[in-house]
């Protein structure tokens, strides 16, 4: 297809292997005939739906680089560009161009990894949407269609946040969004390209997909096989995120409350929080995640995977020098009574949350101060070279933070503050207290809790953007040449549409792209 060679051509052979067009029904059937075929046998669509979920962890789908392994690649790019996760600019750090902001140049492969990964998954979702009658009453088909719609919404929500300033900082009806390709215009886009819509159109599509997905999931009654799939609570959780960004406070609170009450997920307890984990879909607090199998190519590659780059207790790039560590100033702000402090090593590279074997492994590998030990190795085996960890996408804890902020910003700061205090005291720090009495104060009280809670999970970047925060790395432990203080709203904080997209999409020109940013320059660090 024409809209980016990288988006819609490069991944087709493996991404759609086993899908309707190539295996199940052949490539000579019309969309109507395919729809009729799956109505007769809904199980025929299962492989296509699995193709959508498997796109989260594709091996080198965009380019031959050790940084290209699906959506976790995006998580690491966002963390590396941010403030709270520190790393060194060395050869083993495959995300160093995000760390240094060199990849604000839109010819860099990192940009293609983000854009292409999300649009490849959208393409797979569109294939499902094109095959199912939107008015179907078959419960399995309703469930399958809902998967495609919810994941497509998730992808477009990521795209619009990465490639444009946050919703509240622009005129949504005028600011450029991203190209919106659905099953309705995919053929035309393949022939003629697709222009950028507006921010408002992007969010309209996201909410439309989520609303439809929720209605279909509720109507279908199908229970998901595992947490790689979307259920109604997951769709509400994604919508809670969207409503939070759009400052639709009451809607965000309602969605978060729904998830808390209906998902069946529970936050990690105080005891569970104090040790490395975050490696399995079976964890009680995971709403939704990426399921990884030992036979997946990202695993058999050995080092082209999330644990290789983020795992401090397993084999990979991190333990040979590309250590991921917490911002030193943020670490020092965590009270000793907060169980999350043991997710990170102290100034002596020690953590009270580790077993003797885990600490000995870190010592033997030469771990540095403030190294994160949040993510346990596969099956808890120290030094494991089988990096088959599942990867979290949404956890129930986020819904409590959204609820607290949305309640406060929606007009009830005392309620929001109490929600925050109750959650943190119960699950993270029994000594926590907050006296925030205004909406803005509660929002500010929630922010550092989210920074600590989601450090390393690819979420905090979006918080900095939506809250219009400076990206101030001073005092964080960054190297001299990566110590930046980038002010909120700086064009360097918006990714540019990749050069290859400009080349191959006839409806996006250089003048349609985001502004050319000025590269950030290092500033004097703080002691």
């Amino acid at each position: 297809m024409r809209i980016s060679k990288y988006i819609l051509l490069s991944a087709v052979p493996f991404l759609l292997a086993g899908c309707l067009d190539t295996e199940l029904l052949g490539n000579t059937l019309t969309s109507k005939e395919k729809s009729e075929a799956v109505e007769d046998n809904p199980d025929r669509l299962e492989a296509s739906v699995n193709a959508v979920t498997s796109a989260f962890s594709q091996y080198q789908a965009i380019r031959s680089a050790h940084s290209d392994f699906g959506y976790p690649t995006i998580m690491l790019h966002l963390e590396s560009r941010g403030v709270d996760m520190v790393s060194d600019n060395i050869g083993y750090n495959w995300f160093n161009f995000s760390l240094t902001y060199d990849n604000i140049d839109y010819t860099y492969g990192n940009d293609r990894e983000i854009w292409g990964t999300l649009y490849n998954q959208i393409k797979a979702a569109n294939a499902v949407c094109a095959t199912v009658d939107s008015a179907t009453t078959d419960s399995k088909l309703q469930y399958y269609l809902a998967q495609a719609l919810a994941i497509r919404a998730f992808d477009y929500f990521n795209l619009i946040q990465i490639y444009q300033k946050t919703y509240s900082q622009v005129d949504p009806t005028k600011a450029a969004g991203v190209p919106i390709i659905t099953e309705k215009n995919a053929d035309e886009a393949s022939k003629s390209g697709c222009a950028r819509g507006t921010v408002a159109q992007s969010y309209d599509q996201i909410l439309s997909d989520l609303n439809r997905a929720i209605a279909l999931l509720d109507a279908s009654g199908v229970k998901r096989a595992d947490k790689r799939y979307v259920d109604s609570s997951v769709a509400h959780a994604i919508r809670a995120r969207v409503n939070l960004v759009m400052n639709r406070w009451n809607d965000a609170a309602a969605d978060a409350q729904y998830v808390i009450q209906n998902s069946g997920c529970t936050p990690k307890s105080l005891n569970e929080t104090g040790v490395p984990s975050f490696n399995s879909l079976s964890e009680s607090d995971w709403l939704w995640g990426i399921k990884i199998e030992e036979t997946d190519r990202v695993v058999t590659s050995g080092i082209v995977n999330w644990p290789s780059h983020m795992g401090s207790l397993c084999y990979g790039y991190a333990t040979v020098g590309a250590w991921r560590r917490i911002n030193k100033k943020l670490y020092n702000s965590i009270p000793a009574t907060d169980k999350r402090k043991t997710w990170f090593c102290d100034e002596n590279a020690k953590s009270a949350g580790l077993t003797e074997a885990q600490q000995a492994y870190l010592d033997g590998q030469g771990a540095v101060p403030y190294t994160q030990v949040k993510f346990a190795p596969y099956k808890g085996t120290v030094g494991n070279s089988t990096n088959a960890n599942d990867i979290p996408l949404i956890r129930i804890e986020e819904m409590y933070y959204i609820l607290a902020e949305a309640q406060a910003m929606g007009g009830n700061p005392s309620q929001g503050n109490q929600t925050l205090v109750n959650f943190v005291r119960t699950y993270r720090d029994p000594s926590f207290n907050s006296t925030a009495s205004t909406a803005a104060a509660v929002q500010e009280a929630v922010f550092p809790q989210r920074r600590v809670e989601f450090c390393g999970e690819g979420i905090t970047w979006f918080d900095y953007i939506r809250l219009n925060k400076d990206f101030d790395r001073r005092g964080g432990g960054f190297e001299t040449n990566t110590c930046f203080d980038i002010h909120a709203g700086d064009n360097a904080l918006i990714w540019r549409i990749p050069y290859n997209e400009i080349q191959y999409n006839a409806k996006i020109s250089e003048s349609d792209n985001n502004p050319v940013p000025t590269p950030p320059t290092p500033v004097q660090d703080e002691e």
Side-chain angles (χ1 to χ4, degrees), residues 10-69:
S10 63
V12 167
F14 59 84
L15 185 58
L16 296 183
C19 293
L20 286 169
D21 284 335
T22 59
E23 181 175 303
L24 297 179
L25 299 178
N27 58 11
T28 61
L29 301 184
T30 66
S31 294
K32 181 180 178 181
E33 288 170 330
K34 291 176 188 176
S35 180
E36 291 171 349
V38 297
E39 283 286 351
D40 292 337
N41 185 357
D43 290 336
R44 288 186 169 191
L45 194 59
E46 185 174 4
S48 296
V49 174
N50 288 338
V52 181
T53 61
S54 68
F56 275 116
S57 57
Q58 289 294 333
Y59 170 80
Q60 296 186 346
I62 308 303
R63 65 194 193 106
S64 297
H66 284 205
S67 59
D68 186 8
F69 40 88

Side-chain angles (χ1 to χ4, degrees), residues 165-412:
K165 295 179 179 180
T166 196
Y167 187 88
S168 63
Q169 299 297 318
V170 299
D171 180 343
T173 63
K174 295 180 180 178
V178 295
I180 302 296
I181 305 174
T182 70
E183 74 281 8
K184 296 177 181 178
N185 68 333
D187 289 343
E188 176 61 26
S190 71
K191 299 173 185 175
S192 306
C194 186
R196 299 179 72 173
T198 64
V199 168
Q201 289 169 335
S202 299
Y203 278 90
D204 286 347
Q205 182 66 49
I206 292 163
L207 288 173
S208 174
D209 281 352
L210 289 171
N211 294 341
R212 289 178 63 201
I214 289 169
L216 288 164
L217 289 164
D218 291 344
S220 77
V222 174
K223 182 177 175 60
R224 61 179 175 171
D226 57 57
K227 292 180 182 178
R228 91 185 87 169
Y229 301 108
V230 175
D231 65 6
S232 188
S233 289
V234 171
H236 276 88
I238 298 170
R239 196 171 67 180
R241 285 181 172 181
V242 176
N243 284 324
L244 193 73
V245 169
M246 297 179 75
N247 294 350
R248 293 167 43 148
W249 308 116
N250 292 337
D251 291 337
D255 278 328
Q257 191 72 265
Y258 176 93
V259 179
I260 292 168
Q261 293 174 350
N262 294 282
S263 67
C265 294
T266 56
K268 283 182 169 62
S269 67
L270 286 169
N271 289 335
E272 290 170 329
T273 299
V275 298
S277 57
F278 300 96
N279 64 348
S280 173
L281 286 175
S282 65
E283 293 177 46
S284 66
D285 59 328
W286 287 31
L287 284 164
W288 190 36
I290 304 171
K291 184 174 177 60
I292 305 294
E293 303 285 358
E294 291 185 9
T295 54
D296 288 351
R297 186 66 184 95
V298 292
V299 179
T300 61
S301 73
I303 52 177
V304 187
N305 50 58
W306 166 267
S308 170
H309 294 274
M310 279 298 291
S312 302
L313 298 168
C314 63
Y315 170 78
Y317 280 115
T319 54
V320 295
W323 298 99
R324 309 288 166 183
R325 50 195 191 270
I326 189 174
N327 180 301
K328 180 172 66 175
K329 186 185 290 187
L330 179 59
Y331 175 83
N332 289 333
S333 74
I334 305 173
T337 51
D338 192 325
K339 293 292 186 179
R340 294 170 295 188
K341 192 146 190 161
T342 59
W343 288 349
F344 315 99
C345 291
D346 62 17
E347 67 275 12
N348 298 310
K350 309 293 183 185
S351 168
L354 299 177
T355 65
E356 288 186 12
Q358 289 169 336
Q359 187 63 63
Y361 180 80
L362 274 186
D363 294 343
Q365 298 297 316
V368 297
Y370 309 108
T371 291
Q372 68 83 18
V373 289
K374 178 178 178 179
F375 299 94
Y378 181 55
K379 294 186 175 180
T381 303
V382 177
N384 205 337
S385 60
T386 302
N387 289 331
N389 295 29
D390 298 332
I391 301 160
L393 290 172
I394 305 179
R395 295 192 287 117
I396 190 66
E397 288 87 348
E398 185 180 354
M399 297 301 107
Y400 287 89
Y401 294 118
I402 289 177
L403 179 61
E405 181 178 343
Q407 286 172 333
M409 297 300 290
N412 198 332

